[in-house]
Amino acid sequence: DNMDIERERGITIKSQAVTLPYRARDGQEYLLNLIDTPGHVDFSYEVSRALASCEGVLLLIDAAQGVQAQTIANLYLAMENNLGIIPVINKIDLPTADVDRVLEQIDMELGLDPSSHLKCSAKEGIGVEEILEAIVQKIPPPKGSPESPLAALIFDAQYDSFRGTIVHCRVFEGMVRKGDTIRFLSNQAAYQVEEVGRFSLRRERMEQLVAGEVGYIIAGIKTISDVHIGDTLP
C-alpha cells in the first residue's frame, strides 16, 4: 500500500498492478499481468478502463457477505468487454463463511456456472496456486504484433514530484522504448519517453514495452491535465 490514506487507515483501496512470473504445472514460464480494480461502485469508470486492458477477470466474492451490488455491476462490465470470467470465493477461513449460500448466489444472481468457481483464503494462502493455474488455462493470451504502430491504453497514472506524471498502460500493438515520442490522442500533447518498465511490486526499468505487456511510461509529463484515464497512445 503506497497511498497515504491506505497507510493511515491500514486498508487497501486498490492493489498495485504487478507483472508476476509464474512457472505452471505444465513446466512453461508465464508472465501474468495482474491489474486490480476499486471495489466501490463510485469508481465504475476506472473499473471499466482496467477491464478494457485485460483478457479475463477474477470475480472475487466474499464468502461471508456474498454477492454485493458492485459484484453484479463489475460482472456486467466484464461481460460487455467479452472477458473470460473466473468466480473466486474468498475469505473461506472466516467463521461466518457460508460457501453453499454463495454458490447458490453465483447460480441464481450472477447466472454463472457454480461448478467453475474456485475457493481461496488470501490470509491463509489456501487455493492461490489453483487460481494461478486457472488463469493460465482459462484466460486467453494477449494478441497484438510488435511490428504494428503503437497502440496503448492508459488505465491509471500517478504523479511524482521529480519525474512528473507516470503513466500506467497496456500495450495492445507495437512497442515503446526510451527516446520514442508518444502522443495523447485526446489532446494531441506530445512527449519524449524517458523510461519504460514493468511493475514488479516496485518499478523495474526495461528496454522496451511490447504488444501484450503492461507497464509504465515516464516522459517528463509535468502537466497533469494532459493525462486522461482511458486515453490512447498512438
Side-chain angles (χ1 to χ4, degrees):
D1 296 337
N2 58 14
M3 295 176 62
D4 291 340
I5 191 171
E6 290 179 326
R7 292 176 174 175
E8 176 185 335
R9 303 195 178 186
I11 59 174
T12 299
I13 297 174
K14 186 175 79 166
S15 295
Q16 304 305 303
V18 65
T19 299
L20 179 69
Y22 175 64
R23 179 181 288 275
R25 292 171 181 167
D26 60 9
Q28 297 292 320
E29 288 276 359
Y30 296 89
L31 282 180
L32 308 181
N33 291 298
L34 307 179
I35 302 173
D36 193 18
T37 62
H40 200 279
V41 70
D42 288 346
F43 295 96
S44 60
Y45 178 74
E46 287 79 1
V47 171
S48 71
R49 295 306 83 202
L51 293 181
S53 304
C54 300
E55 273 70 38
V57 298
L58 298 173
L59 188 67
L60 292 179
I61 306 168
D62 192 306
Q65 298 184 5
V67 171
Q68 299 173 284
Q70 62 263 29
T71 310
I72 299 174
N74 292 345
L75 172 65
Y76 288 156
L77 287 174
M79 288 179 169
E80 289 174 7
N81 285 277
N82 296 316
L83 302 180
I85 301 170
I86 303 175
V88 177
I89 303 176
N90 190 23
K91 302 182 182 179
I92 59 173
D93 59 290
L94 293 179
T96 55
D98 189 345
V99 175
D100 292 335
R101 177 176 64 90
V102 175
L103 286 174
E104 185 177 341
Q105 290 178 334
I106 291 175
D107 183 22
M108 301 298 294
E109 299 182 22
L110 300 182
L112 299 176
D113 181 5
S115 65
S116 66
H117 81 284
L118 298 171
K119 294 189 285 288
C120 79
S121 166
K123 181 179 179 180
E124 301 290 338
I126 301 170
V128 175
E129 185 176 353
E130 286 73 14
I131 292 175
L132 296 176
E133 283 294 322
I135 294 174
V136 170
Q137 296 172 14
K138 298 181 181 180
I139 304 300
K143 301 176 182 178
S145 169
E147 308 302 325
S148 301
L150 175 65
L153 174 67
I154 301 173
F155 64 86
D156 202 356
Q158 67 182 97
Y159 185 76
D160 185 288
S161 56
F162 299 102
R163 307 299 302 272
T165 302
I166 300 172
V167 173
H168 300 196
C169 65
R170 154 73 192 277
V171 181
F172 284 91
E173 299 284 353
M175 67 173 62
V176 59
R177 62 182 65 180
K178 180 180 179 180
D180 288 351
T181 298
I182 58 172
R183 178 171 50 88
F184 296 106
L185 198 61
S186 64
N187 53 24
Q188 301 302 309
Y191 293 91
Q192 187 174 45
V193 176
E194 299 175 357
E195 179 182 326
V196 301
R198 62 189 180 198
F199 303 104
S200 300
L201 294 183
R202 299 184 182 275
R203 295 194 301 267
E204 179 185 354
R205 181 180 300 187
M206 304 291 292
E207 290 293 326
Q208 60 191 19
L209 289 177
V210 300
E213 292 189 324
V214 172
Y216 68 89
I217 298 175
I218 298 176
I221 307 170
K222 299 298 184 182
T223 306
I224 303 176
S225 58
D226 281 350
V227 180
H228 298 277
I229 306 304
D231 200 359
T232 302
L233 297 174

